[in-house]
Every structure is written in structure tokens, then in C-alpha cells.
Amino acid sequence: MQLKEVEKILNKFSKYVVQQARTNLTKSKKNSSKKLYNSIEYDINVYKDSIDVLFNMEEYGFFQDLGVSGKKTKYNTPYSYRSKMPPSKSFSEWVIRKGLKGTRDKKGRFIPRKSLQYLIARSVFMNGIKPSFFFTKPFQRAFKYLPDELRDAFIFDIEQDKMFFPENMNKN
């Protein structure tokens, strides 16, 4: 059986989720490198008896979406920092992109970039990452409207396949 209408609805659903997730990233200013933004995509796989919709993104997108609890600040999330701090060098490019410079010390010298990276990593370790739900919110919003449209599209596809319906069988 070909489920072209169902596939169309799932394609529309997936495009909406990806577009809204990308918009949310940009609006929340979590899009400095565009790496996460560009990695958000979907894939629809049609099999003989089923259809899969898979969403993919950079691994750190899950942490940005659901947040990470720090040592001090706790969020309602499955992720948390327990004993290991994030590596300071992972903030190197981010510090440069954001144009961050440390404050001056008593002698008028700027804090070295490595010290600034360490301070940011320690702050993330202690305070965590606040959940942004950039992906979760559009997915849930779109999913609310999916069942009725999907059911109707599924019925349409079955009728288009000219499948045999006994007289006493209800098509709805």
C-alpha cells in the first residue's frame, strides 16, 4: 500500500518542526556558529508496514534543548554535571565569536583568554545550562494537530488504493 497522503502530512509536520526549531535558536541567540542550526534535519523512511520520522541534530543540541543541571542550579532535566567540569578549550571559539574580553587586572592587563575560558567552564559546571526547549516546543505544538490530519490522510490513501471494503465495515 502506498501512503502518499500520510507521507505528505508527515513531511509538512517535519518541515514545520525543523523551521520553528531553527527560528527558536536564532531568537534565543543560541546560534552563534550556525553548526547546530544547520544540523537540524529530518528523515522520513517509508517501509512496507510503517513510516518512520527521524529528527537529527548535533549531539549538544539535546543539552541546549532540555538543559543541564549544574552543581548549584538544578533544572528538571535528565542531564547534569556531577563531578567533571566541561573542558575549557571547548569555549575557545565561542569566546572569540562572541568577542568576549576579560576585565583588566590592577596593572591594567586583560585576563588571558585561557583564564576566561576556564571561568566560563566553571560557571557552566556550577550553574548548568538553562533549558531552552527550542526543539521540544515546536515538536509538541505540531504533534497536537497531527492525529486528525494523519487519520484523514490515511483514510484517503486507503480509499485511493481502491482496497476492498465490505458493506458492513465503517470507513471512518
Side-chain angles (χ1 to χ4, degrees):
M1 170 173 32
Q2 299 239 344
L3 301 174
K4 290 183 181 187
E5 288 301 312
V6 171
E7 191 175 353
K8 267 192 225 176
I9 297 293
L10 290 175
N11 200 19
K12 183 179 170 185
F13 163 79
S14 302
K15 279 183 183 177
Y16 172 82
V17 171
V18 167
Q19 183 264 329
Q20 288 297 305
R22 288 177 173 173
T23 299
N24 290 346
L25 269 181
T26 303
K27 284 183 178 178
S28 64
K29 296 186 171 122
K30 293 186 178 284
N31 193 19
S32 63
S33 73
K34 292 217 182 247
K35 188 174 180 184
L36 179 57
Y37 179 97
N38 291 329
S39 73
I40 302 170
E41 55 187 24
Y42 70 93
D43 196 19
I44 297 177
N45 300 311
V46 181
Y47 303 105
K48 184 178 179 184
D49 298 331
S50 64
I51 296 179
D52 285 346
V53 179
L54 303 170
F55 290 97
N56 300 306
M57 69 176 101
E58 288 286 329
E59 187 177 5
Y60 73 91
F62 298 106
F63 305 122
Q64 288 292 326
D65 185 51
L66 298 176
V68 180
S69 290
K71 291 297 279 183
K72 287 183 187 175
T73 310
K74 304 295 181 195
Y75 299 106
N76 185 17
T77 177
Y79 308 114
S80 66
Y81 289 110
R82 292 198 176 100
S83 60
K84 233 177 162 188
M85 206 164 75
S88 344
K89 62 182 169 185
S90 62
F91 293 99
S92 178
E93 290 180 26
W94 185 82
V95 166
I96 294 167
R97 265 194 315 276
K98 292 289 187 176
L100 298 177
K101 293 182 175 71
T103 57
R104 294 181 186 266
D105 63 11
K106 290 180 183 174
K107 294 183 180 178
R109 299 174 297 190
F110 279 111
I111 294 175
R113 184 179 300 141
K114 284 190 177 189
S115 297
L116 185 59
Q117 292 167 11
Y118 172 79
L119 292 171
I120 292 170
R122 188 178 71 183
S123 175
V124 169
F125 177 68
M126 297 305 277
N127 300 316
I129 300 169
K130 186 178 179 182
S132 66
F133 303 114
F134 76 91
F135 181 83
T136 302
K137 284 181 181 177
F139 181 87
Q140 289 174 342
R141 193 172 29 242
F143 194 77
K144 273 192 231 177
Y145 298 106
L146 194 56
D148 291 341
E149 286 185 19
L150 198 58
R151 185 195 70 226
D152 295 343
F154 186 71
I155 290 169
F156 180 81
D157 282 336
I158 289 173
E159 289 171 348
Q160 292 304 308
D161 255 6
K162 300 193 182 359
M163 293 184 72
F164 174 72
F165 286 98
E167 294 290 290
N168 60 356
M169 185 175 195
N170 185 1
K171 292 182 188 178
N172 295 332

